[in-house]
Amino acid sequence: MQLIGPFKQLIPMSGLSIKGAISDDDLLVFEDAGLLIDGAHIKAIGKFDELKVTYDHAEIHVLKGDHTCLPGFIDSHTHICFGGSRATDYALRNSGKTYLEIAKAGGGIWDTVTQTRKASQEQLVKKTTKLANRHMKNGVTTLEVKSGYGLSVSEELKMLRAIQEANRGTSTDLISTCLAAHMLPKDYQGDATEYLMEIADTLFPILQQEELTHRIDAFIEDSAFSEEEIRPYFQRATDMGFDITVHADQFSTGGSAVAVACGAISADHLEASTPTEIALLAQSDVIATALPGASLGLGCSFTPARKILDAGGALAIASDHNPGSAPMGDLLTQAAILGAFEKLSNAEVLAGITFRAAAALNLTDRGQLKEGALADFILFHTSDYKEILYNQGNFKPCVVFKKGVKVFDKHQ
Ligand code: NIG
Ligand code: FE
């Protein structure tokens, strides 16, 4: 057993509701705290001095200076497995072309599909591992990664096998998702329904045999798939036991209604959601996920996070890190900026990247510091947790622990 501390503040993110608004007054703040770890899990949290006496046989790590301890961040939506770059798209967008115009002209997602297909599985493993490690050093200890730039049975398998292999090469947990329904591949000889049925018939069983993923995602949008096309696809996935997540309401509405009807775990994007969709989501168990990195990358409005919370919805915040719409890939910065624009409390922003993000991945063993949870935690050099979001991302963790092991230390 290891005892770590003392922390000036430890914010466990426990005892808070999964849904609705949270005030900073509701946030538990333990002072002069210690964390007792047994292997990969948390054994106890309490006053450091008291834990030292009770567990006098534990290996004790005394910290010098002021530290604040938080659960490791969880980024529940990324596309960090890809080939090439879309810097040219970004320049075109900032010169006046829209994301959808570029997509129609053959750029956009299809451009990354072409470049990802050219990359070998090994090249994808290398790139994904490198980006995952960057997230880990920024405090992200669980990171979702989607396929969706292969768009054929064999190319989607290449991506998901690369993500599985990258997971072995990084200390952050990679949670994979199949996004074969990202767009209808331009070289497919058939219509959307035929493509989706081929994926469900051929790819889904392999995903289960090889344990490549238990999550299915689809992009519901005019430029991708319609609600009618996706409903039977999700039904097949649900019947086979997959969890569902949706790229919903990014430019037009419709996706969130499908998410609710299909019992999806999360509906992500929601920049275009109106009061109707917000009410629908808030009344459901679907986690609404804001992706401020996509708003910043595309220069468009943010997800109505404040309204979602005030309506009683559950709000997670993820980076959407991808080469097209969200190239920055800095969860903490983006979450802090969303908080400033949407008037979210510290508690709401931190909930969005910890236990509410865990719920968006259907994970119950992380996102909070409590007995029995994974010992995934991060330290900031401060005596006041409010400094973290105040610095809008320009203040990173100095130490990262994953499953009870120190995996990053800024000073080493
Ligand atoms: O979440 N909206 C669709 N998919 C991604 C973008 C992918 C890309 O542009 O390469 C997203 O923003
Ligand atoms: Fe996305």
Side-chain angles (χ1 to χ4, degrees):
M1 276 197 289
Q2 311 176 66
L3 174 61
I4 303 171
F7 306 114
K8 278 277 176 200
Q9 293 187 332
L10 183 149
I11 318 288
M13 299 306 297
S14 57
L16 298 166
S17 165
I18 197 78
K19 291 178 77 173
I22 320 174
S23 143
D24 284 348
D25 298 337
D26 299 331
L27 210 55
L28 275 176
V29 181
F30 292 138
E31 286 176 353
D32 304 315
L35 200 56
L36 186 75
I37 303 163
D38 190 6
H41 294 89
I42 296 169
K43 174 94 177 145
I45 295 169
K47 286 272 180 207
F48 181 73
D49 288 342
E50 291 171 14
L51 288 171
K52 214 163 59 175
V53 176
T54 317
Y55 298 95
D56 55 355
H57 52 289
E59 192 184 305
I60 297 179
H61 303 274
V62 179
L63 297 168
K64 288 192 196 83
D66 293 345
H67 291 90
T68 289
C69 177
L70 283 172
F73 296 145
I74 296 174
D75 193 339
S76 64
H77 180 140
T78 84
H79 310 245
I80 60 161
C81 181
F82 60 88
S85 157
R86 299 247 293 282
T88 304
D89 274 18
Y90 186 73
L92 282 174
R93 287 204 302 274
N94 291 346
S95 304
K97 289 257 180 297
T98 69
Y99 185 68
L100 295 177
E101 280 167 0
I102 293 167
K104 274 199 192 113
I109 295 170
W110 186 248
D111 182 36
T112 300
V113 172
T114 309
Q115 301 196 59
T116 305
R117 285 180 177 180
K118 277 190 204 143
S120 67
Q121 190 172 311
E122 290 64 39
Q123 285 169 325
L124 293 178
V125 172
K126 228 172 141 185
K127 185 152 184 178
T128 307
T129 309
K130 192 172 157 200
L131 290 176
N133 284 333
R134 201 174 93 194
H135 283 275
M136 184 276 288
K137 287 179 184 164
N138 287 341
V140 175
T141 50
T142 299
L143 185 72
E144 188 259 16
V145 188
K146 297 175 196 298
S147 64
Y149 294 126
L151 306 190
S152 70
V153 171
S154 61
E155 290 293 324
E156 285 290 303
L157 280 173
K158 181 179 85 181
M159 287 193 74
L160 287 158
R161 287 173 182 147
I163 297 165
Q164 189 180 55
E165 212 178 314
N167 187 36
R168 294 188 205 109
T170 180
S171 48
T172 185
D173 278 332
L174 303 187
I175 308 292
S176 59
T177 304
C178 174
L179 180 56
H182 203 179
M183 64 178 277
L184 179 63
K186 287 183 187 287
D187 58 352
Y188 187 73
Q189 309 288 323
D191 66 16
T193 301
E194 287 163 336
Y195 171 70
L196 293 173
M197 283 309 121
E198 182 181 322
I199 294 293
D201 287 342
T202 318
L203 182 60
F204 285 5
I206 307 174
L207 299 181
Q208 292 188 321
Q209 277 153 26
E210 292 190 29
E211 294 183 10
L212 287 171
T213 183
H214 64 279
R215 291 166 46 84
I216 302 294
D217 192 351
F219 185 20
I220 299 180
E221 192 54 62
D222 298 341
S223 60
F225 295 98
S226 70
E227 294 167 58
E228 294 69 33
E229 286 157 356
I230 290 300
R231 280 177 190 263
Y233 180 71
F234 277 168
Q235 189 58 55
R236 286 283 299 276
T238 309
D239 290 345
M240 290 179 73
F242 287 101
D243 282 348
I244 301 295
T245 177
V246 192
H247 277 71
D249 302 357
Q250 184 180 14
F251 303 107
S252 59
T253 57
S256 52
V258 176
V260 173
C262 296
I265 307 293
S266 79
D268 305 16
H269 273 295
L270 311 174
E271 294 89 334
S273 297
T274 71
T276 308
E277 287 74 37
I278 292 170
L280 196 65
L281 286 166
Q283 283 152 22
S284 76
D285 291 329
V286 178
I287 308 286
T289 304
L291 305 173
S295 303
L296 292 166
L298 298 178
C300 64
S301 60
F302 288 110
T303 300
R306 180 73 265 146
K307 288 185 179 150
I308 291 170
L309 288 164
D310 287 344
L315 182 86
I317 305 168
S319 75
D320 195 19
H321 192 184
N322 74 71
S325 62
M328 183 210 286
D330 187 326
L331 178 66
L332 183 58
T333 301
Q334 294 164 4
I337 290 171
L338 180 75
F341 275 81
E342 282 290 309
K343 304 293 170 224
L344 308 180
S345 67
N346 274 283
E348 289 165 335
V349 174
L350 294 175
I353 56 176
T354 57
F355 72 98
R356 287 176 169 176
L361 295 174
N362 214 1
L363 296 170
T364 52
D365 61 350
R366 63 196 77 191
Q368 293 176 329
L369 301 178
K370 61 182 183 189
E371 190 188 339
L374 284 178
D376 293 357
F377 57 94
I378 56 181
L379 310 186
F380 288 84
H381 239 310
T382 178
S383 58
D384 179 4
Y385 80 91
K386 291 192 290 299
E387 290 287 337
I388 299 168
L389 295 177
Y390 166 63
N391 277 278
Q392 299 193 311
N394 197 17
F395 176 36
K396 300 288 193 226
C398 53
V399 174
V400 177
F401 271 79
K402 177 67 189 172
K403 293 182 180 151
V405 177
K406 184 155 59 169
V407 290
F408 173 68
D409 188 335
K410 196 175 140 192
H411 304 296
Q412 281 169 5

